[in-house]
Amino acid sequence: MAKVKTKFQCTECGYEAPKWYGKCPGCQSWNSMIEETETVVKTQGRNSPLFDSKDKPLPIIDIDSGQEPRVQTGIGELNRVLGGGIVPGSLVLVGGDPGIGKSTLMLQTSHALTHSGLRVLYVSGEESVKQTKLRADRLGALSPELYVLCETNMERVEEAVEQIQPHFLVIDSIQTVYLPEVTSAPGSVAQVRECTSRFMRIAKGRGIATVLVGHVTKEGAIAGPRMLEHMVDCVLYFEGERHHTYRLLRAVKNRFGSTNEIGIFEMGEDGLREVGNPSELFLSERPLGVAGSTVVASMEGTRPLLVELQALISATHFPSPRRMATGIDHHRLNLIIAVLEKRMGMFLQTQDAYLNVAGGVRLDEPAVDLAVAISIASSLRDVPTKPDDVIFGEIGLTGEVRAVSRAEQRVKEAEKLGFKRVILPEKSLKGWKHPRGIQLIGVNTVADALAVALD
């Protein structure tokens, strides 16, 4: 028996309520609650459409665990993030800020896949066919196997899929697609949920690799219900500062690979270009002999990345000093400042502290702690660090320097770029063969590291 159910749901966070609120109780957004109606059909047992009598439980040891077949996208950085290529029948969600380059990446990927003999359907709900063609002319993404459709009606998109029979499908964007039988507006929680469910059936039923481009909220999360990220196989975020040319592609969910890898691109006039040696690129404009500047070796997945950290300590004119960080968590900055004050006796209560990761990169791992501490001390004392030093290590609350993983890869990357000395945790020196072309100095405390770096 079917019945109609009315509810109110927030377009920002997906909070559901039986009545309308001017301000969402979940995310505190104003006027984000919309009314939705849905038909509820009660099904049980074998009458359920999800029940297939042919499916039988199997012992897990009898299930074939062969590797999923993958298709190379023609873009090495995208293959790295996806775990080696795109899997046929997978459903991928790509999110990012407006103008960051999501459509450019998808159009370049579509063109690259046509060189492998694949047929691609690119559905745009935000740009006309002529606008897409102008973008393709600029990118050089012209191929007879690349089909473009400007449509937002889900039923017509399904008709086009039936007609073209593509191997790869791009929907740009999922918030513009709507189902006529769903009464709410395009982009609402109900529309996004139902359309994504349809695309999931297309991807799984026909074996078509499908990519959905998604909008993001003002907080940076993908707009729509949280269920959207649970339904897809892979969630990618395309990140970067609008005033920098670098773009980072990061996976936050991947059923077919690791979520630790990142892809690095550079935005140019002819589209996105892969960055083969990101460390060299990020350090190309590094000033030498300047207080507050250090080089840190960070790991992004299996890739070592050398970037410059810049700290500026200046006297404050306000009762409460400012603590600002770009590229790392500002809570981590406060923790490191507290350790320097308590364990090293540095008086920072009357000093503003500003920290920046050059190049617009965001570093999340604790191995950057030691470089942050040395940058702050260098700026406070106005003593520059040596330009040939690379620093990494995690700092504990007692002032000790703790071991970090993959020290060998970090050191080899520093040696490859011509650095002469690495300051690292003492415990990270064990268990691997040290290269001869670079000096390794192990430290146990922050005091030891400062004595070496600022001697």
Side-chain angles (χ1 to χ4, degrees):
M1 182 177 179
K3 66 176 182 178
V4 178
K5 181 181 178 182
T6 302
K7 63 181 179 180
F8 294 87
Q9 194 160 16
C10 176
T11 58
E12 293 287 340
C13 67
Y15 181 87
E16 294 184 5
K19 63 179 182 178
W20 183 84
Y21 292 96
K23 185 177 182 181
C24 173
C27 64
Q28 307 301 314
S29 299
W30 285 97
N31 296 324
S32 60
M33 304 290 290
I34 61 172
E35 182 179 0
E36 295 184 357
T37 59
E38 61 178 347
T39 303
V40 181
V41 181
K42 290 186 177 181
T43 57
Q44 297 180 356
R46 294 181 177 271
N47 294 325
S48 172
L50 297 178
F51 183 84
D52 187 353
S53 60
K54 297 180 181 180
D55 291 338
K56 296 180 180 179
L58 295 174
I60 194 169
I61 60 174
D62 295 338
I63 299 175
D64 184 16
S65 59
Q67 293 291 330
E68 292 284 347
R70 294 182 183 270
V71 177
Q72 298 296 310
T73 63
I75 300 178
E77 295 297 298
L78 180 58
N79 291 334
R80 174 194 294 270
V81 177
L82 291 173
I86 193 164
V87 177
S90 61
L91 187 62
V92 180
L93 178 63
V94 179
D97 293 332
I100 205 68
K102 301 185 298 296
S103 300
T104 299
L105 176 63
M106 289 298 99
L107 199 56
Q108 289 185 226
T109 303
S110 300
H111 175 64
L113 286 171
T114 59
H115 289 299
S116 301
L118 302 182
R119 191 180 304 110
V120 180
L121 176 59
Y122 186 96
V123 180
S124 176
E126 300 178 346
E127 297 179 334
S128 66
V129 175
K130 291 185 178 180
Q131 287 176 310
T132 306
K133 177 60 163 59
L134 289 174
R135 186 194 299 269
D137 289 335
R138 178 171 56 86
L139 301 176
L142 302 174
S143 173
E145 292 299 314
L146 175 56
Y147 294 82
V148 178
L149 174 67
C150 180
E151 185 57 70
T152 58
N153 190 320
M154 182 68 207
E155 295 179 349
R156 294 176 183 172
V157 173
E158 290 178 326
E159 293 175 1
V161 172
E162 182 68 28
Q163 176 186 357
I164 301 299
Q165 296 290 323
H167 303 95
F168 186 70
L169 174 64
V170 177
I171 306 298
D172 187 9
S173 66
I174 185 61
Q175 277 82 10
T176 63
V177 184
Y178 72 95
L179 272 169
E181 57 264 28
V182 179
T183 57
S184 57
S188 64
V189 173
Q191 287 283 11
V192 172
R193 181 178 59 240
E194 294 302 321
C195 291
T196 303
S197 180
R198 289 281 192 99
F199 284 120
M200 184 174 63
R201 287 196 290 269
I202 290 175
K204 305 302 181 184
R206 299 173 179 266
I208 302 174
T210 304
V211 176
L212 309 177
V213 178
H215 296 169
V216 295
T217 63
K218 55 188 177 183
E219 289 81 16
I222 294 180
R226 194 68 178 178
M227 184 189 302
L228 180 62
E229 298 186 29
H230 292 285
M231 295 171 66
V232 300
D233 298 313
C234 184
V235 180
L236 307 180
Y237 276 90
F238 205 40
E239 307 170 351
E241 297 289 338
R242 296 181 64 88
H243 303 292
H244 290 86
T245 60
Y246 309 127
R247 302 288 187 268
L248 271 68
L249 185 66
R250 191 187 306 270
V252 297
K253 174 187 177 181
N254 191 355
R255 288 174 178 163
F256 307 111
S258 172
T259 58
N260 296 322
E261 300 290 350
I262 67 167
I264 302 177
F265 299 87
E266 184 179 10
M267 179 66 77
E269 294 182 357
D270 56 348
L272 294 166
R273 296 190 293 266
E274 298 180 67
V275 177
N277 192 342
S279 298
E280 185 176 0
L281 188 64
F282 291 140
L283 298 176
S284 60
E285 300 180 14
R286 179 172 66 101
L288 302 179
V290 179
S293 174
T294 60
V295 177
V296 61
S298 177
M299 290 297 300
E300 293 292 345
T302 58
R303 167 189 284 174
L305 198 64
L306 300 188
V307 295
E308 180 193 3
L309 282 179
Q310 296 178 340
L312 177 62
I313 307 299
S314 62
T316 184
H317 301 288
F318 300 97
S320 178
R322 302 189 67 183
R323 304 285 187 255
M324 295 183 61
T326 302
I328 70 168
D329 186 8
H330 73 279
H331 296 295
R332 197 75 187 174
L333 173 62
N334 292 332
L335 184 148
I336 295 172
I337 289 177
V339 172
L340 291 175
E341 289 183 329
K342 182 70 174 180
R343 306 300 176 188
M344 299 300 302
M346 294 185 183
F347 191 70
L348 296 168
Q349 298 176 6
T350 60
Q351 305 287 328
D352 289 333
Y354 304 92
L355 188 76
N356 177 52
V357 181
V361 185
R362 180 163 186 84
L363 305 178
D364 296 323
E365 66 164 347
V368 303
D369 291 353
L370 188 59
V372 172
I374 292 177
S375 294
I376 293 173
S378 172
S379 180
L380 178 67
R381 299 176 181 177
D382 200 21
V383 177
T385 58
K386 290 182 172 57
D388 293 332
D389 282 0
V390 173
I391 304 161
F392 63 88
E394 180 183 357
I395 294 178
L397 294 180
T398 61
E400 82 277 13
V401 178
R402 307 175 70 89
V404 298
S405 62
R406 300 181 182 272
E408 183 178 3
Q409 288 92 327
R410 302 174 200 257
V411 171
K412 287 184 177 179
E413 181 72 9
E415 182 187 23
K416 184 175 69 174
L417 293 180
F419 289 90
K420 303 300 182 183
R421 193 171 70 165
V422 177
I423 301 173
L424 72 164
E426 180 76 33
K427 296 181 178 61
S428 295
L429 291 172
K430 302 176 182 178
W432 54 283
K433 184 178 180 181
H434 301 169
R436 297 181 178 179
I438 191 169
Q439 181 184 6
L440 305 182
I441 301 178
V443 294
N444 291 311
T445 64
V446 178
D448 295 340
L450 293 178
V452 173
L454 302 179
D455 58 349

